[in-house]
Amino acid sequence: MPSNAEIREQIQILARLHEGSDHQRHRLLEMRLRAAWWLRQLKEFHPRLIGSVLSGAIRQGSDVDLHVFAANPHRITIVLDDLAVRYDLERKRVVKDGEQRVFTHIHIRDEFPIELTVYHPSLLGFRFRSSITNKAIERASLSQLERLIVMEHSVDPQQQAARMDEMDTCPDRFAMFLALLVPLEDVPQNLRYHPEGDVLFHSLQVYGHAKNQMPYDEEFLLAALSHDVGKGIDPEDHVLAGLESVEGFVSNRTSWLIANHMEAHKIHDRTIGARRRKRLVAHQWYEDLITLGERDRAGRVPGAQVESIEEALDYIEQIDEMFGS
């Protein structure tokens, strides 16, 4: 039987053949730069990069693996909360060398999946061994990773610093949607038009109807979920406020649907001007707008069953993987 190391080597060969060397090199660079960004964010926990991103043996689905050191994992989650990222904390009970141990992992939903394995600070100098090769695990600090990026990708320190600055100013878009949607739970609506209650409950209903009709359409689902986010910012002009809040995070189609979703109701009520209606009818996304209006009006049922915000965003984030769009 082949060893674990031999199996891993064959998987890496297949990955290179399937994905192409140029694509893989670019992806590796992007993953290493993102790893460097995370090493900066978590510097107080003495983070170290390990695994395929360090070795270069990545494939589709590879994640960024980091060792971090903290007496209490919740000190790390406080930092993650401040960064407004989404994560799951997992504790695994494992029997190793006849002894039961608990390993804490934090899975961060990022541009690339990030997995933090949390150890007590007393283990900072300990040499962990790979379960695949039984050799000491290679790990790299931030400075070591930066030198590796220079040597293997010819990206100098100034260029790396510029990329880090870009990452600082470009938050994860799904974390941004979460931040916009959560406050809507406290935004009431006129019960004459919205007997279902608050804006968040309404938005999740509209999303649910949209998902049933177009489960594969990320742009449409984002429009359905976020069409009323402006109500939590400026109720007097929620359309403009919503457009400004999602600018740069949604496609032109999603933005257009949000911008015109109130017009869809005027078309339905026959209160729109003939000239304006004619312009909308001629637009390439007119049918989508009418569908969004229908889903919007359907999302007004008191006590309806809805998904959570996190479930909705998780689904939208995974559409590419599920439908290959």
Side-chain angles (χ1 to χ4, degrees), residues 102-275:
V102 177
F103 290 89
T104 301
H105 301 271
I106 301 175
H107 303 274
I108 301 172
R109 303 171 201 186
D110 196 47
E111 178 183 358
F112 306 105
I114 312 292
E115 181 173 351
L116 312 181
T117 303
V118 185
Y119 294 102
H120 192 273
S122 63
L123 294 174
L124 185 56
F126 184 78
R127 296 300 291 169
F128 298 95
R129 290 191 170 274
S130 168
S131 59
I132 296 175
T133 65
N134 201 34
K135 297 179 180 178
I137 293 176
E138 293 185 16
R139 22 183 221 181
S141 64
L142 175 59
S143 61
Q144 291 169 328
L145 176 58
E146 289 172 337
R147 288 195 294 272
L148 179 66
I149 293 172
V150 172
M151 290 187 295
E152 293 197 4
H153 302 280
S154 300
V155 178
D156 64 40
Q158 290 75 24
Q159 292 172 313
Q160 291 185 47
R163 287 297 304 275
M164 297 301 107
D165 290 342
E166 288 177 14
M167 293 179 190
D168 285 339
T169 57
C170 185
D172 173 73
R173 69 188 190 117
F174 286 96
M176 185 277 300
F177 285 123
L178 183 65
L180 287 172
L181 288 163
V182 168
L184 299 183
E185 187 174 15
D186 298 321
V187 180
Q189 301 190 94
N190 187 327
L191 295 180
R192 177 183 174 187
Y193 303 105
H194 289 280
E196 75 281 7
D198 62 70
V199 178
L200 177 60
F201 186 44
H202 166 69
S203 299
L204 290 170
Q205 283 194 52
V206 177
Y207 160 78
H209 288 298
K211 179 182 174 184
N212 288 337
Q213 187 157 357
M214 298 187 184
Y216 51 83
D217 193 330
E218 175 185 323
E219 294 177 336
F220 188 78
L221 294 185
L222 280 175
L225 186 61
S226 59
H227 71 285
D228 274 347
V229 293
K231 289 184 177 179
I233 302 168
D234 181 5
E236 298 300 317
D237 192 350
H238 79 277
V239 174
L240 179 59
L243 286 171
E244 290 176 346
S245 69
V246 300
E247 184 178 3
F249 293 95
V250 298
S251 68
N252 289 337
R253 177 168 167 245
T254 299
S255 181
W256 187 86
L257 290 171
I258 294 172
N260 293 285
H261 77 274
M262 295 301 294
E263 304 291 79
H265 301 309
K266 292 179 182 179
I267 293 171
H268 176 264
D269 298 336
R270 300 176 185 271
T271 58
I272 194 169
R275 189 173 298 176

Side-chain angles (χ1 to χ4, degrees), residues 67-85:
H67 282 178
V68 288
F69 300 85
N72 186 342
H74 291 292
R75 286 186 56 210
I76 299 172
T77 62
I78 290 172
V79 173
L80 299 180
D81 290 337
D82 288 341
L83 291 170
V85 298

